[in-house]
């Protein structure tokens, strides 16, 4: 919901120009859009984008007999990937008083803020799609879930080599390599530019990689080879045939609240978590309710803070409800609430916890009268003594792994100057953006999500 920018909001700017330090905004390294192939949809094509590829044929297992045609032709199958497009946008509204009285060029600042907003939303939406990828390595590959990654599983040579082995065995071509299937490699060399995969990760993972005790001298800074090949945006170096790109706009998964499973009636389950109380108007009976809460930073939008599943028994014999009071929590966040029950077959695991209410504002009370029906809850973290402070995803991409399908990537929309029917006195002007599209993983084998701990 946009809010008017009124004269009172800009009062401090009326007597002095804003100094540079006040204008500085966080330097965000947004890289995901540059790793997507662009697929432009035609108007009238509907909201679903379809990508089709022919799967590899089985090879023949017996030699041909002279003069005899094989009894059956080989079969081939199609693999279809679809994605439903989303439309996103935001806008700001300025009053005529602001435009007339503010010394600072407010329209230029508004344009920059909206551009920053749009870039973060697009990067986030691409990354959310990548987080749902099915090709995953947890830690050193000795564990199979996020909740079993220990604080010792920081990135190292062995972990990266396991990732690379997985990608190579799956036939995923490195970036710049052939986007089609098998090709013979020339005896005199290699495909130009096909030696490396690309890994996108946060600064904590980069810090782990570049420690001498970790990299064993195999890390090469980008400056040492930049004259030989074009660099990717924010590329910092290469390690074990993987080129690393750093971003500071990537989720870091941390535990929200405490690690106590049972919650007494009326109690909160840790810092910045809601107070839960029972009521009588709902469909819950004497069975246990399970719930999980996640928190999003409103500047980022990722479900980064994740509670463990908690439980509480209904106090009513045939009907019951639960109120979740989000009052008094830290500003700047919204919450998602996931619910299931024993009666409905729930087990209190991520697989059965379903979204009940999304984007709950601080200060809101949500009354839950039945089980959640939305998306499955995100995976939680280990909550024992050897739990990592945070889990850091790393995205490793080969060629043609990811695409952005849409009608358009970004449009800027500005209301005209002067009087209109809706604004007869020309007191308001709006400027905004919107884009219509969505990221899609074209081939799951060409992208791998690695999740690791960090020493930083």
């Amino acid at each position: 919901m946009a809010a008017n920018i009124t004269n009172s909001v800009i009062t401090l700017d009326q007597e002095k120009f804003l100094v540079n330090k006040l204008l500085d905004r966080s330097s965000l390294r947004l890289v995901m859009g540059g790793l997507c192939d662009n697929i432009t949809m035609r108007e009238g094509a509907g909201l679903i984008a379809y990508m089709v590829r022919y799967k590899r044929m089985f090879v023949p297992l017996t030699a041909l007999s002279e003069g005899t045609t094989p009894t059956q032709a080989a079969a081939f199958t199609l693999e279809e990937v679809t994605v439903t497009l989303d439309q996103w946008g935001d806008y700001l509204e300025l009053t005529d008083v602001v435009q007339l009285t503010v010394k600072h060029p407010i329209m230029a600042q508004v344009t920059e803020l909206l551009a920053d907003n749009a870039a973060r939303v697009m990067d986030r939406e691409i990354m959310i799609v990548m987080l749902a990828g099915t090709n995953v390595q947890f830690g050193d590959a000795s564990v199979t879930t996020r909740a079993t990654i220990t604080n010792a599983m920081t990135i190292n040579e062995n972990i990266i080599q396991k990732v690379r082995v997985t990608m190579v065995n799956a036939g995923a071509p490195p970036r710049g390599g052939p986007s089609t299937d098998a090709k013979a490699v020339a005896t005199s060399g290699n495909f130009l530019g096909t030696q490396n995969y690309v890994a996108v990760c946060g600064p904590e993972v980069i810090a782990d990689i570049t420690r001498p005790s970790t990299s064993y001298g195999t890390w090469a800074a980008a400056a040492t080879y930049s004259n030989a090949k074009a660099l990717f945006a924010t590329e910092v170096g290469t390690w074990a045939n993987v080129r690393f790109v750093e971003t500071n706009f990537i989720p870091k998964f941390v535990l929200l609240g405490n690690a106590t499973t049972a919650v007494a009636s009326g109690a909160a389950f840790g810092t910045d978590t809601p107070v839960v109380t029972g009521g009588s108007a709902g469909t819950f009976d004497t069975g246990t309710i399970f719930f999980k809460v996640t928190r999003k930073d409103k500047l980022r939008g990722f479900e980064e803070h994740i509670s463990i599943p908690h439980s509480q028994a209904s106090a009513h014999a045939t009907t019951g409800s639960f109120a979740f009071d989000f009052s008094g929590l830290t500003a700047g966040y919204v919450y998602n609430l996931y619910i299931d029950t024993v009666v409905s077959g729930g087990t209190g695991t991520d697989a059965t916890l379903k979204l009940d209410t999304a984007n709950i504002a601080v200060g809101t009370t949500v009354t839950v009268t039945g089980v959640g029906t939305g998306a499955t809850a995100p995976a939680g973290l280990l909550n024992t003594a050897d739990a990592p402070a945070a889990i850091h995803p790393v995205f490793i991409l080969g060629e043609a792994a990811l695409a952005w399908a849409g009608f358009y990537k970004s449009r800027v929309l500005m209301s005209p100057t002067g009087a209109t029917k809706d604004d007869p006195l020309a007191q308001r002007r709006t400027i905004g953006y919107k884009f219509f599209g969505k990221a899609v993983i074209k081939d799951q084998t060409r992208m791998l999500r690695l999740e690791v701990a960090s020493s930083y």
Side-chain angles (χ1 to χ4, degrees), residues 96-437:
D96 57 341
V97 176
V98 167
Q99 297 177 67
L100 289 170
T101 61
V102 176
K103 291 182 180 180
H104 196 77
I106 189 67
M107 286 299 290
Q109 287 303 305
V110 165
T111 303
E112 287 184 18
L113 286 169
L114 286 166
D116 170 82
N117 182 318
R120 279 183 286 130
V121 171
M122 187 172 290
D123 234 54
R124 181 197 69 203
E125 291 305 299
I126 295 171
M127 211 165 289
I128 287 174
V129 168
M130 297 171 75
L131 286 169
T134 57
N135 194 16
V136 190
Q137 178 179 313
F138 295 102
D140 59 5
S142 66
V143 297
T144 57
T145 65
R146 180 182 295 168
T148 48
I149 299 173
T150 68
N151 57 20
M153 295 182 185
T154 59
I155 198 165
N156 57 41
E157 184 102 24
N158 187 49
I159 286 176
I160 287 298
Q161 291 293 6
K162 287 183 178 179
V163 166
R164 188 176 177 280
V165 166
T166 299
M167 297 286 281
V168 173
N169 279 339
R175 295 288 293 187
S179 60
T180 53
D181 289 317
K183 289 185 178 180
V185 177
T187 56
S188 60
N190 198 318
F191 289 114
L192 182 63
T194 64
Q195 306 95 322
N196 302 109
Y197 296 104
V198 174
V200 180
C201 55
E204 295 87 354
V205 176
I206 293 294
D208 282 320
I209 293 171
T210 53
R211 285 187 302 163
S213 60
T214 301
S215 63
Y216 303 108
T218 62
W219 172 263
T224 65
Y225 63 85
S226 60
N227 292 330
K229 62 178 73 173
L231 297 180
F232 296 107
T234 75
E235 182 176 355
V236 292
T238 185
W239 192 34
N241 299 114
V242 179
R243 294 170 68 176
F244 282 83
V245 173
E246 184 180 53
T247 176
N248 57 0
F249 193 76
I250 190 170
K252 293 183 277 285
F253 302 113
V254 298
L255 180 66
L256 176 66
N258 61 32
T260 304
T261 302
V263 179
S265 179
F269 48 94
T271 303
D272 273 330
T273 60
V275 174
V276 188
T277 54
S280 58
T283 58
F284 297 120
D285 58 15
T286 54
T288 298
I289 179 178
F290 299 104
F291 53 91
K292 187 171 190 175
V293 175
T294 62
R295 187 175 73 169
K296 305 177 190 177
D297 186 326
K298 292 170 71 173
L299 287 172
R300 295 163 61 81
F302 298 112
E303 287 187 89
E304 296 177 274
H305 306 85
I306 305 170
S307 81
I308 66 168
H310 293 275
S311 63
Q312 188 164 323
S314 173
H316 298 270
T318 57
T319 62
S321 62
F322 290 89
F324 290 78
D325 184 1
F326 291 83
S327 299
L329 307 185
T330 302
Y333 296 93
V334 294
Y335 295 79
N336 283 4
L337 176 61
Y338 298 83
I339 301 288
D340 73 357
T341 68
V342 169
V343 175
S344 64
T347 58
T349 61
D350 295 331
T352 62
L353 283 158
K354 302 293 183 180
L355 180 65
D356 179 88
T357 309
N359 300 324
I360 303 166
V362 173
T364 303
T365 296
V366 174
T367 300
V368 178
T369 59
V371 297
T373 58
T376 303
L381 289 71
L382 187 67
N383 58 358
T384 59
D386 57 349
I391 296 294
H392 301 269
V394 180
F395 301 107
I396 294 91
L397 294 95
E399 181 68 15
L402 195 65
W404 177 270
F407 293 109
Y408 50 83
K409 290 200 73 172
S410 184
R411 288 180 180 173
V412 176
L413 304 167
M414 186 181 299
S415 63
T417 58
T420 65
K421 182 179 179 181
D422 295 326
D423 185 18
L425 299 181
Q427 292 177 292
R428 302 181 305 277
R429 194 174 184 195
T430 61
I431 179 171
Y433 74 86
K434 64 178 181 179
F435 61 83
F436 206 148

